[in-house]
Amino acid sequence: MARNDKQRRTAEGERDGSAENRFFSRRSVLKATGALGVAAASSLGIGNAAAADSTAGFGEGDYGADQYGTGETTTTTSFGVSTAQATDVQTTSATLNGSVADLGGADTADIAFEYRPVGGSWSTTAAQTLSAAQTFSQSVSGLNSGTDYECRATGLSSSGETATGSTVAFTTVAETTESPPAINRFNVSEAGRKDPHAEVTVNWDATDVDGDLASVVLEVADSSGTTLRSTAWTFDGTAAASDTDEYRFKKGGGVDYQVTMTVTDQAGNTVSQQTMVSA
């Protein structure tokens, strides 16, 4: 006699185990997977009210409404100045240079320079007010010649920020002790012949202790100051020079002659002498 379906399931269940333990209904499967999903979501803090309320955002890490997606990035700048190399450096003066890199949001800034001999006390220039990032300069005087100096730019912005640039060094030009040339001999004479002519003779010598004679000029003029004759010698630096020069004037008798000697060295120092002679 054939077994019905219930007997078949009973027999299979006795052989492989309980059919109720092996087969699950669709509803049972959904219940199982649903429970696993809730557990996973709970571990991530998603869909779990307790986890969501534990932070200001969606779970841990501050990626919520107050952080991720709504924050704004703000770039801030600071007030800054820099120091450049000094220019036009002379024996007792120089021009100090600098620039304002950024006002840092301030409307204006008062800028100045500090300077001093290296190792000495700082002096400060008068302040100048700037309203934009730009270069600036200030001339200083009363410096010592041949001296090492250092300077730096400083500033105070209208918002109260202070700034100081790096220290820059410069050296003033050394002042030379140049000696002027000297006229050691300047003898002028006229031949004195009883004729209508004139003959003027000049004996001279010049020296320079620095050894840098540059030129000697002789000029012979009449009583009105009009130059009649002139002679010039040039030197490429020498310690001494001398000569004897004669000037003849046809029918120049009875005239007063003015003779001038001018000596110049290579540093531009000049010495001059003048004398009169009658023919």
Side-chain angles (χ1 to χ4, degrees):
M1 180 177 178
R3 290 179 297 180
N4 56 29
D5 292 338
K6 184 175 181 180
Q7 292 173 328
R8 187 181 305 114
R9 288 195 299 271
T10 300
E12 292 173 352
E14 292 173 350
R15 184 177 62 250
D16 300 326
S18 172
E20 295 295 330
N21 293 331
R22 183 178 181 185
F23 294 98
F24 294 89
S25 68
R26 176 180 177 85
R27 181 175 297 177
S28 298
V29 172
L30 290 176
K31 286 182 179 180
T33 57
L36 292 173
V38 170
S42 176
S43 67
L44 295 175
I46 301 175
N48 186 303
D53 292 341
S54 66
T55 67
F58 301 111
E60 298 178 356
D62 289 342
Y63 296 101
D66 295 334
Q67 298 292 331
Y68 182 79
T70 61
E72 295 183 359
T73 301
T74 303
T75 301
T76 60
T77 57
S78 299
F79 172 51
V81 298
S82 60
T83 314
Q85 288 294 327
T87 56
D88 193 26
V89 180
Q90 304 296 326
T91 55
T92 60
S93 63
T95 298
L96 310 183
N97 303 290
S99 63
V100 174
D102 199 299
L103 286 178
D107 294 328
T108 61
D110 291 332
I111 305 300
F113 288 99
E114 294 179 338
Y115 65 97
R116 66 178 180 180
V118 174
S121 300
W122 290 105
S123 297
T124 305
T125 65
Q128 49 184 303
T129 301
L130 304 180
S131 57
Q134 64 184 80
T135 59
F136 57 93
S137 61
Q138 180 70 52
S139 296
V140 294
S141 59
L143 308 179
N144 298 321
S145 66
T147 304
D148 294 330
Y149 278 85
E150 56 187 4
C151 65
R152 61 191 183 190
T154 64
L156 171 64
S157 74
S158 57
S159 61
E161 284 189 275
T162 60
T164 302
S166 59
T167 300
V168 173
F170 66 94
T171 302
T172 53
V173 177
E175 187 175 14
T176 59
T177 56
E178 179 69 32
S179 299
I183 296 175
N184 301 100
R185 183 175 58 148
F186 180 50
N187 296 330
V188 181
S189 62
E190 201 280 323
R193 296 189 181 94
K194 295 181 179 181
D195 55 40
H197 309 300
E199 184 176 307
V200 178
T201 301
V202 182
N203 293 289
W204 62 268
D205 64 63
T207 58
D208 193 298
V209 296
D210 301 311
D212 63 345
L213 280 176
S215 66
V216 174
V217 178
L218 292 180
E219 292 179 315
V220 182
D222 59 21
S223 57
S224 67
T226 301
T227 300
L228 304 176
R229 302 281 180 82
S230 65
T231 307
W233 294 262
T234 58
F235 309 99
D236 189 16
T238 186
S242 63
D243 201 12
T244 298
D245 300 283
E246 295 181 348
Y247 301 95
R248 296 178 181 179
F249 301 97
K250 188 176 182 180
K251 298 181 180 181
V255 177
D256 293 331
Y257 295 95
Q258 177 179 279
V259 183
T260 303
M261 178 179 177
T262 303
V263 183
T264 305
D265 66 13
Q266 292 179 327
N269 299 307
T270 298
V271 63
S272 181
Q273 288 188 21
Q274 189 178 82
T275 190
M276 295 287 294
V277 64
S278 297

